[in-house]
């Protein structure tokens, strides 16, 4: 497994993958991971991803254009495919996301799939919020979710 770190405004992100990006981990929260002893530090492997993340955090990139290696169930992949369709700087409710995957009563299952997203930010699970407008679960912590949404709204207005 190759890995590198990316210093972002929301903390030091860990990028991992073999041939393509497979995971993005936050420095805090329930998804925090440390590199394995057999992993190879290889920032060159992630240069395109790093450049796009830099542009995203500067407000210059609103949609990532990367090949990813995603592992998950068919349902999870369907949810993640819908997440990338949520426009930059906008949010939707879990119920709306459930409708978009043609399963309107599956809000809870959609939330679980959202929580298993292996590549947050690039697959923008932070753009899904509670029906009452509240920020709900996020692997990097609610503070990070709040900061990502703020960043997108700030740059979208410019």
């Amino acid at each position: 497994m190759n890995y590198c770190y990316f210093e972002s405004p929301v903390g030091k992100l860990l990028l991992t993958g073999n041939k393509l990006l497979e995971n993005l981990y936050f420095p805090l929260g329930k998804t925090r991971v440390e590199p394995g002893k057999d992993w190879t530090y290889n920032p060159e492997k992630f240069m395109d991803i790093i450049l796009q993340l830099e542009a995203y955090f500067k407000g210059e990139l609103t949609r990532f254009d990367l090949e990813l290696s995603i592992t998950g169930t068919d349902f999870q992949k369907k949810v993640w495919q819908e997440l990338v369709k949520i426009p930059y700087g906008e949010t939707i409710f879990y119920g709306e996301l459930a409708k978009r995957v043609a399963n309107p009563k599956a809000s809870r299952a959609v939330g679980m799939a959202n929580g298993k997203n292996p590549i947050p930010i690039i697959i923008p699970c932070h753009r899904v919020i509670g029906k009452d407008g509240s920020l709900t679960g996020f692997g990097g912590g609610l503070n990070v979710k709040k900061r990502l949404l703020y960043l997108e709204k700030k740059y979208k207005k410019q």
Side-chain angles (χ1 to χ4, degrees):
M1 178 71 68
N2 294 293
Y3 77 97
C4 78
Y5 289 101
F6 173 73
E7 289 287 347
S8 82
V10 296
K12 190 176 184 179
L13 306 176
L14 174 62
L15 309 173
T16 70
N18 287 307
K19 294 184 183 191
L20 301 171
L21 181 66
E22 295 176 25
N23 291 282
L24 183 153
Y25 298 104
F26 293 100
L28 302 172
K30 63 183 179 183
T31 65
R32 186 178 186 282
V33 168
E34 290 291 329
K37 292 184 189 308
D38 59 338
W39 292 13
T40 304
Y41 181 73
N42 189 354
E44 294 79 27
K45 197 97 163 141
F46 300 95
M47 285 314 297
D48 191 37
I49 297 154
I50 290 169
L51 292 172
Q52 288 192 40
L53 283 168
E54 286 173 346
Y56 167 80
F57 282 109
K58 290 177 186 172
E60 299 167 354
L61 180 80
T62 60
R63 188 178 180 96
F64 292 91
D65 183 20
L66 298 166
E67 268 192 85
L68 307 171
S69 177
I70 302 172
T71 303
T73 67
D74 289 343
F75 180 75
Q76 288 170 335
K77 289 178 182 178
K78 192 173 185 182
V79 169
W80 302 334
Q81 287 168 352
E82 286 303 317
L83 290 174
V84 298
K85 295 177 186 175
I86 303 169
Y88 179 89
E90 295 183 22
T91 58
I92 66 169
F93 305 128
Y94 288 95
E96 175 59 28
L97 185 55
K99 288 178 191 168
R100 291 182 185 189
V101 296
N103 203 338
K105 296 186 186 223
S107 294
R108 190 165 271 164
V110 161
M112 296 294 286
N114 210 35
K116 297 282 186 186
N117 174 10
I119 310 175
I121 300 175
I122 294 167
I123 300 174
C125 53
H126 60 278
R127 296 180 187 155
V128 184
I129 61 174
K131 187 176 185 179
D132 62 358
S134 64
L135 300 185
T136 57
F138 188 67
L142 291 181
N143 187 43
V144 170
K145 183 172 187 167
K146 184 179 192 177
R147 290 176 69 191
L148 291 170
L149 292 173
Y150 172 79
L151 173 126
E152 289 185 8
K153 284 187 181 153
K154 173 181 140 186
Y155 286 122
K156 186 176 181 189
K157 289 180 182 176
Q158 293 180 350

